[in-house]
Amino acid sequence: MFITVKLTVLLLGLSFCYGRRRYHFDEEPQPVRASKYGSLWPLPQAVKISEQSFKLIKNSFAIVDSKESSAGPSCSPLQDAYYRYYDYMFGSAKHRGLSENRPGGPAELSELQVWITSPDSECDSLPSVSSDESYELSVDQPYAILKAPKVWGALRGLETFSQLVYEDEYGTKTINSTAISDFPRFAHRGILLDTSRHFLPVKIILATLETMAMNKFNVFHWHIVDDPSFPYMSHTFPQLSKQGAYHPYTHVYTATDVQMVIEFARLRGIRVIPEFDTPGHTESWGNGQKDLLTPCYSGSAPSGSFGPVNPILNTTYDFMNKLFQEISTVFPDAYIHLGGDEVDFSCWKSNPDIQKFMDQQGFGKDYSKLESFYIQRLLDIVTTTKKGYMVWQEVFDNGVKLKPDTVVHVWINDGSNEIGKVTAAGYATILSAPWYLDYISYGQDWKNYYKVEPLNFNGTEAQKKLVVGGEACLWGEYVDATNLTPRLWPRASAVAERLWSSKDVTDINDAFSRLSMHRCRMVERGIPAEPLVTGYCTHEYRGI
Amino acid sequence: MFITVKLTVLLLGLSFCYGRRRYHFDEEPQPVRASKYGSLWPLPQAVKISEQSFKLIKNSFAIVDSKESSAGPSCSPLQDAYYRYYDYMFGSAKHRGLSENRPGGPAELSELQVWITSPDSECDSLPSVSSDESYELSVDQPYAILKAPKVWGALRGLETFSQLVYEDEYGTKTINSTAISDFPRFAHRGILLDTSRHFLPVKIILATLETMAMNKFNVFHWHIVDDPSFPYMSHTFPQLSKQGAYHPYTHVYTATDVQMVIEFARLRGIRVIPEFDTPGHTESWGNGQKDLLTPCYSGSAPSGSFGPVNPILNTTYDFMNKLFQEISTVFPDAYIHLGGDEVDFSCWKSNPDIQKFMDQQGFGKDYSKLESFYIQRLLDIVTTTKKGYMVWQEVFDNGVKLKPDTVVHVWINDGSNEIGKVTAAGYATILSAPWYLDYISYGQDWKNYYKVEPLNFNVETRYNYPHLERN
């Protein structure tokens, strides 16, 4: 009897996938050894923190433009950020901050000056892949200085400054003398949200943008429409959302919603890249646009169901032309994502008109040639809008002729082979393959995301430079506003550091210490980021 | 090139665990065919819904006690529930509900009468495992009637009634003529929450109880303390939480918190069964109670770390006696969960005093005998409090002598073998093994939980385990 029990216990300890124990001995809460970098996340390129500390008093501390700064009161990203970061740092502060002069207590730091050094601050510009996000931060007497060529670096530096503030044992806001010099390793650091599988109310999109800024993400990849629903209200084709959205009034993004998202993002140095994915993933498009999708055939008669976009009709390209003209004006970023993934050929194969077309074009039985035929014409259309485009890797894999500034989005398997091929062909690429955050599993999977090294592939230095960054993807099959935030954060934070920090920032224990604190900070700021492992935050999440 | 892509696509479609696709063809949204049972959950034992419908108008609809009911205005679970379900049903209703008489429109249903038929409604009692949760619901003119022997059945029936209400195409609250006869298949339907690995603010516990009621769950298994933290404020041993909680002020459950949870639960027909798990899972207990845990040894000297509760000291049993006297008064349910799982023997083995004790007792090298020695004494202590107890399955597996009304909690592997053994020995059992919801995975895993059939086990013949039989 007892032997059976012991054997069972042994087998249980070994068979993780099948067995279930409530206390996994490999998951004992790690004693958290404090990092010398405190709670900084992502870790800046160069950090020096000294022992000397200063106190910050709520009623006398101010974030101001320095006299020499090229940005002033009209710079909305900065003014907005001053208010936001003041609130982050002092929002929870209890005392109204009468100067308490404790004998031998720390000196007061009463000012953070922000100095935009370049004549063109870019306050009124849109962020782009070539934006300068570098900054220098010096925390010292008589005041702290944040220097950055552009407003984008100042935004990053303000977040860093707010992360240096902590409470001492008296509850006083404190900061140590610090010198930081920082810039991102990769220029494209994105989050993909899917608003087709589930409609996401605008509030949750804004909350995500807010949290992205806390993690120095700078691209919101808005996978806005897909098979299940079409929530984008098009003024050129109003029937698309009228008939394609889950509900034409309550489950749509109006023009105002879209502009709100874009400006909210811009104020945080975040680009908004919309994805209108074709020719596959378009089922909901057909509801409001007859003849757009290919009618599938059962034998010699239409079966009643529809497949990908119909590539052989002129009306298709006329539609795409008008739609993408609209998209290029509504979404101001320099790039649009055109999709081009997972095209199911079976419907095309069943359709006699398409078969005829295939013969005429000499494509034989190779339907990826038909797919490329469509994509090529789509790319030519989009080129006339003067936008650059991003495409999923299949478009590249199928040999489509791409413009030199195309960005190829790698998502299949672990991606390292593909990155090699794409960069060898001279195209810029971004990596998502190892960062599909919708794939949840039990345990500390953030570590897997953290351990990815995007440049781990065989290639030249020139090739490695073509890897402009990556995106964490949160596909929406199992995600809506009820679970989005805990599922994204802090797992996406692991990706944030991998894309911002230096390549040699790989100490997982140090990361654990900083990330635990960073997670509690997000909770304090009202973001229900889920826990990493057993433990606690001084201020727990209470909102339900 | 294209062949490689196609092969890759093929392999991807097959290799779920490794491959990642954004649109799994086996996960195409299933066209949802409306059920003839509407949105009822869980499905009652007997349901008959007819075509005839009635409208419900916010300002004229009322849930009332029937004249013959043994429960009245002083029955707090019912009065509380009337308010709550009215709010659920009409909270989102836009119009203030002036009677709109649409020609040919449905007749109005203006009243739901609640009739507790038993002389003792149990309104002021605690729910127990033998509580009667049965009810009958008749939705018809001139008024709907909810009949139940006890208040518990009425609570279940109110939830069911609220699930029958829907909005027609005009936005009018509507309900169809319905006849339902219902009772639960299993009497113990619980949720376990763990407030030691992470502190859970009281609000989220209350929200969980509220949602449990919507799902007809009736047991809150409060795994309140464990290794990482001790948030329970004991008045007998205040140092336990003062030194064992994550924070002695912000991360504790005060006496008021505990009573609030218990009453909030009671009003929803939910029992609160606390678990104070020993002798393992007790690391945080040692912070505020010196000498409770076993000092581990490194060679011949203490290593500085501690293991399970020390089973060889009289002070241990004195402490447990006092603590469980308190627990038995603070938590009014008839049962307490005593844990008894996952005891790691390595610390005991390292301790010379324990080794000596093992020799004295003639336990040899069998430390599960020492574990049973402790558990036996603990059970005897708890018996004096007049509570029944629940234990994790290891206690049964180790051959400890259990009282006949012990409930054995099966959690290891899929549980079907164990259930057979436990029930063969004559003990009541509850099943958790296939329902560890903390084990998340990608996809519609609710289906796996749904497909479990708790009574799918082979009944072991009694003579295989004579030493485990009830006495």
Side-chain angles (χ1 to χ4, degrees):
Chain A
M1 179 69 222
F2 301 123
I3 298 172
T4 321
V5 174
K6 282 187 198 151
L7 263 178
T8 317
V9 171
L10 242 179
L11 288 167
L12 279 172
L14 298 170
S15 60
F16 180 77
C17 256
Y18 180 67
R20 286 159 294 207
R21 297 185 69 85
R22 271 155 300 130
Y23 188 54
H24 299 279
F25 295 111
D26 59 333
E27 276 291 17
E28 284 186 39
Q30 303 136 273
V32 183
R33 207 175 26 246
S35 160
K36 64 181 178 181
Y37 299 116
S39 66
L40 289 174
W41 194 279
L43 191 67
Q45 302 297 336
V47 190
K48 244 202 182 82
I49 308 182
S50 88
E51 294 291 320
Q52 184 188 22
S53 64
F54 312 108
K55 64 186 175 190
L56 302 159
I57 315 262
K58 180 174 185 176
N59 267 20
S60 45
F61 184 78
I63 310 175
V64 299
D65 304 300
S66 83
K67 284 188 181 38
E68 312 94 321
S69 180
S70 64
S74 65
C75 179
S76 22
L78 275 191
Q79 303 311 318
D80 204 59
Y82 294 169
Y83 175 81
R84 182 166 66 254
Y85 281 100
Y86 180 90
D87 193 50
Y88 283 161
M89 294 188 289
F90 296 104
S92 63
K94 304 229 153 59
H95 2 244
R96 297 194 84 245
L98 303 161
S99 280
E100 311 134 26
N101 281 329
R102 262 183 285 119
E108 182 187 344
L109 182 78
S110 57
E111 197 170 88
L112 167 64
Q113 292 197 3
V114 179
W115 180 3
I116 307 302
T117 56
S118 166
D120 176 15
S121 63
E122 293 185 12
C123 284
D124 297 324
S125 308
L126 291 160
S128 79
V129 70
S130 52
S131 292
D132 186 343
E133 297 177 274
S134 69
Y135 66 91
E136 280 171 13
L137 182 58
S138 160
V139 180
D140 220 334
Q141 291 287 35
Y143 46 80
I145 302 192
L146 169 57
K147 270 170 76 171
K150 305 291 179 179
V151 65
W152 318 116
L155 292 175
R156 306 298 169 233
L158 283 167
E159 175 60 39
T160 303
F161 180 84
S162 76
Q163 295 187 1
L164 292 167
V165 178
Y166 60 95
E167 284 187 4
D168 72 3
E169 62 265 40
Y170 298 92
T172 307
K173 300 288 180 184
T174 309
I175 191 169
N176 282 30
S177 173
T178 309
I180 286 178
S181 171
D182 200 10
F183 58 87
R185 179 184 177 201
F186 292 103
H188 183 119
R189 307 179 305 282
I191 297 281
L192 178 152
L193 290 187
D194 169 0
T195 58
S196 176
R197 274 55 180 264
H198 286 97
F199 179 74
L200 299 178
V202 172
K203 262 197 196 166
I204 193 84
I205 296 177
L206 300 184
T208 302
L209 292 168
E210 189 98 320
T211 318
M212 285 168 64
M214 298 177 198
N215 288 269
K216 295 188 169 66
F217 275 107
N218 67 355
V219 175
F220 169 38
H221 174 165
W222 193 347
H223 188 91
I224 186 168
V225 297
D226 203 296
D227 282 324
S229 76
F230 196 104
Y232 171 73
M233 273 180 100
S234 159
H235 52 80
T236 320
F237 300 102
Q239 291 304 316
L240 285 173
S241 64
K242 270 225 178 95
Q243 303 194 42
Y246 281 137
H247 190 289
Y249 305 152
T250 55
H251 289 63
V252 290
Y253 300 108
T254 64
T256 323
D257 291 332
V258 173
Q259 292 315 308
M260 197 183 350
V261 168
I262 290 172
E263 179 62 6
F264 193 95
R266 189 190 80 81
L267 292 173
R268 288 154 181 76
I270 298 171
R271 302 165 56 196
V272 178
I273 302 180
E275 178 184 349
F276 285 83
D277 189 355
T278 67
H281 287 282
T282 46
E283 191 179 324
S284 64
W285 299 43
N287 295 6
Q289 188 71 19
K290 303 290 169 261
D291 298 338
L292 178 66
L293 305 182
T294 310
C296 313
Y297 273 66
S298 205
S300 55
S303 69
S305 65
F306 296 87
V309 166
N310 194 333
I312 72 175
L313 300 178
N314 285 334
T315 48
T316 292
Y317 300 102
D318 187 55
F319 166 83
M320 290 300 170
N321 183 38
K322 293 194 170 80
L323 181 67
F324 278 93
Q325 293 304 329
E326 173 186 319
I327 291 168
S328 68
T329 49
V330 169
F331 293 91
D333 192 83
Y335 278 78
I336 303 181
H337 200 302
L338 304 178
D341 61 306
E342 293 184 313
V343 185
D344 182 1
F345 294 150
S346 49
C347 185
W348 283 349
K349 286 182 185 164
S350 74
N351 183 301
D353 297 326
I354 299 221
Q355 290 162 13
K356 209 175 298 167
F357 186 83
M358 291 284 287
D359 291 335
Q360 285 166 1
Q361 297 288 324
F363 289 160
K365 292 277 173 245
D366 189 351
Y367 282 83
S368 61
K369 288 198 163 103
L370 181 60
E371 183 186 348
S372 302
F373 172 86
Y374 164 83
I375 291 278
Q376 203 66 74
R377 289 187 67 173
L378 177 69
L379 297 189
D380 292 342
I381 286 172
V382 176
T383 299
T384 68
T385 68
K386 311 237 188 315
K387 298 284 191 185
Y389 41 73
M390 296 175 56
V391 289
W392 295 110
Q393 65 179 75
E394 288 100 313
V395 174
F396 167 81
D397 294 338
N398 286 352
V400 173
K401 201 154 47 98
L402 304 169
K403 276 201 296 153
D405 64 346
T406 306
V407 179
V408 178
H409 201 158
V410 174
W411 69 276
I412 297 178
N413 284 343
D414 86 328
S416 47
N417 271 347
E418 185 73 6
I419 295 189
K421 293 200 201 117
V422 172
T423 52
Y427 296 107
T429 181
I430 58 173
L431 180 64
S432 283
W435 291 322
Y436 266 32
L437 302 199
D438 54 327
Y439 282 97
I440 57 171
S441 59
Y442 183 79
Q444 295 196 58
D445 58 356
W446 70 271
K447 295 184 180 182
N448 301 335
Y449 305 138
Y450 191 77
K451 288 178 183 168
V452 172
E453 172 41 60
L455 302 190
N456 254 7
F457 65 95
N458 295 323
T460 64
E461 274 313 298
Q463 277 179 259
K464 308 245 164 161
K465 283 205 174 61
L466 288 172
V467 181
V468 294
E471 292 182 1
C473 297
L474 192 67
W475 295 101
E477 284 89 347
Y478 302 102
V479 176
D480 72 2
T482 60
N483 61 352
L484 187 151
T485 303
R487 191 159 292 196
L488 238 198
W489 312 101
R491 292 154 78 230
S493 301
V495 181
E497 177 151 303
R498 182 50 53 228
L499 292 175
W500 177 281
S501 302
S502 160
K503 175 175 183 155
D504 51 27
V505 176
T506 54
D507 183 338
I508 200 84
N509 292 324
D510 189 78
F512 177 84
S513 168
R514 288 181 290 112
L515 186 56
S516 310
M517 297 173 72
H518 179 63
R519 178 253 165 182
C520 286
R521 177 169 46 232
M522 288 191 277
V523 168
E524 255 184 78
R525 294 180 179 181
I527 306 294
E530 63 176 18
L532 292 178
V533 82
T534 302
Y536 72 103
C537 296
T538 312
H539 299 108
E540 300 287 2
Y541 185 70
R542 282 170 196 277
I544 290 164
Chain B
M1 178 75 223
F2 303 126
I3 298 171
T4 320
V5 173
K6 284 186 200 153
L7 263 179
T8 317
V9 170
L10 243 177
L11 287 168
L12 279 172
L14 298 170
S15 59
F16 181 75
C17 258
Y18 181 68
R20 283 158 296 204
R21 296 186 67 85
R22 269 154 302 129
Y23 190 51
H24 300 277
F25 294 111
D26 59 331
E27 274 293 16
E28 281 186 40
Q30 306 137 274
V32 181
R33 207 177 26 246
S35 161
K36 61 181 178 182
Y37 300 117
S39 66
L40 290 174
W41 195 278
L43 191 66
Q45 301 295 339
V47 188
K48 243 202 182 83
I49 308 182
S50 87
E51 293 291 320
Q52 183 188 22
S53 65
F54 312 108
K55 65 185 176 190
L56 302 157
I57 316 261
K58 180 174 184 176
N59 268 20
S60 43
F61 185 79
I63 310 175
V64 299
D65 303 300
S66 83
K67 285 190 183 39
E68 313 95 321
S69 180
S70 64
S74 65
C75 179
S76 22
L78 275 190
Q79 302 312 317
D80 204 58
Y82 294 168
Y83 177 81
R84 182 167 64 256
Y85 281 101
Y86 181 90
D87 193 49
Y88 284 162
M89 294 188 290
F90 295 105
S92 64
K94 306 232 152 62
H95 3 247
R96 296 195 84 242
L98 303 162
S99 280
E100 313 134 23
N101 280 330
R102 261 182 286 120
E108 181 186 346
L109 182 76
S110 58
E111 198 170 87
L112 167 64
Q113 292 196 1
V114 180
W115 181 2
I116 307 300
T117 56
S118 166
D120 176 16
S121 63
E122 292 183 16
C123 286
D124 298 323
S125 307
L126 291 161
S128 79
V129 70
S130 51
S131 292
D132 186 344
E133 297 176 273
S134 68
Y135 66 92
E136 281 170 14
L137 181 58
S138 160
V139 180
D140 221 333
Q141 291 286 36
Y143 47 79
I145 303 191
L146 169 57
K147 267 170 78 171
K150 304 290 179 180
V151 64
W152 318 117
L155 292 174
R156 304 300 171 234
L158 283 167
E159 174 61 39
T160 303
F161 180 84
S162 75
Q163 295 185 0
L164 293 168
V165 179
Y166 60 95
E167 284 188 4
D168 71 4
E169 61 266 39
Y170 299 92
T172 308
K173 301 287 180 182
T174 309
I175 192 169
N176 282 29
S177 172
T178 309
I180 287 178
S181 172
D182 200 10
F183 57 87
R185 179 184 177 200
F186 292 103
H188 184 120
R189 307 178 306 281
I191 298 279
L192 177 154
L193 289 186
D194 169 1
T195 58
S196 175
R197 274 55 179 263
H198 286 98
F199 180 74
L200 299 179
V202 172
K203 260 196 198 169
I204 193 83
I205 297 178
L206 300 184
T208 303
L209 291 168
E210 189 97 314
T211 318
M212 284 169 64
M214 298 178 199
N215 288 268
K216 295 188 169 69
F217 274 106
N218 66 356
V219 175
F220 169 37
H221 174 167
W222 194 346
H223 188 92
I224 188 168
V225 297
D226 202 296
D227 282 323
S229 74
F230 195 104
Y232 171 72
M233 274 180 100
S234 159
H235 52 80
T236 321
F237 300 102
Q239 291 303 316
L240 285 173
S241 65
K242 271 224 176 94
Q243 302 194 41
Y246 281 136
H247 190 290
Y249 305 152
T250 56
H251 289 64
V252 290
Y253 301 108
T254 63
T256 322
D257 292 331
V258 173
Q259 291 316 306
M260 196 183 350
V261 167
I262 291 171
E263 180 61 5
F264 193 95
R266 189 189 80 80
L267 293 173
R268 288 155 180 75
I270 298 171
R271 302 165 56 196
V272 178
I273 302 180
E275 179 184 347
F276 285 84
D277 189 356
T278 67
H281 287 282
T282 45
E283 191 177 325
S284 64
W285 300 44
N287 296 6
Q289 188 71 20
K290 304 290 170 256
D291 299 336
L292 178 66
L293 305 182
T294 310
C296 313
Y297 273 65
S298 205
S300 55
S303 69
S305 65
F306 296 86
V309 166
N310 194 332
I312 71 176
L313 300 179
N314 284 334
T315 48
T316 293
Y317 301 102
D318 186 55
F319 167 81
M320 290 300 170
N321 183 37
K322 293 195 172 76
L323 180 67
F324 278 94
Q325 293 304 329
E326 173 186 319
I327 292 168
S328 68
T329 49
V330 168
F331 293 90
D333 191 83
Y335 278 78
I336 303 180
H337 200 304
L338 303 178
D341 62 305
E342 292 183 314
V343 184
D344 183 359
F345 295 150
S346 48
C347 184
W348 282 350
K349 287 183 186 167
S350 74
N351 183 302
D353 297 325
I354 299 223
Q355 289 162 14
K356 210 175 297 166
F357 185 83
M358 291 284 288
D359 291 334
Q360 287 165 2
Q361 297 287 326
F363 289 160
K365 292 275 174 249
D366 190 350
Y367 283 82
S368 61
K369 287 200 165 103
L370 181 60
E371 183 186 347
S372 303
F373 172 86
Y374 165 81
I375 291 278
Q376 202 66 75
R377 289 186 68 171
L378 177 69
L379 299 189
D380 293 343
I381 285 172
V382 176
T383 300
T384 68
T385 68
K386 311 241 189 314
K387 299 280 191 186
Y389 42 73
M390 296 176 57
V391 289
W392 294 110
Q393 66 180 74
E394 288 99 312
V395 174
F396 167 84
D397 294 339
N398 287 349
V400 174
K401 201 156 45 108
L402 303 169
K403 278 201 295 151
D405 65 346
T406 306
V407 179
V408 178
H409 201 159
V410 174
W411 69 276
I412 296 178
N413 284 343
D414 87 327
S416 49
N417 273 346
E418 185 73 5
I419 295 189
K421 293 200 201 120
V422 172
T423 51
Y427 296 106
T429 181
I430 59 173
L431 180 65
S432 282
W435 291 322
Y436 267 34
L437 302 200
D438 51 334
Y439 283 96
I440 58 172
S441 59
Y442 181 76
Q444 294 197 58
D445 56 358
W446 69 272
K447 296 184 180 181
N448 301 335
Y449 305 138
Y450 192 76
K451 291 177 181 169
V452 171
E453 173 38 61
L455 301 191
N456 253 4
F457 63 94
N458 296 323
V459 180
E460 305 265 356
T461 43
R462 286 176 53 128
Y463 61 76
N464 285 340
Y465 303 97
H467 61 290
L468 293 177
E469 290 182 25
R470 313 165 34 163
N471 295 312

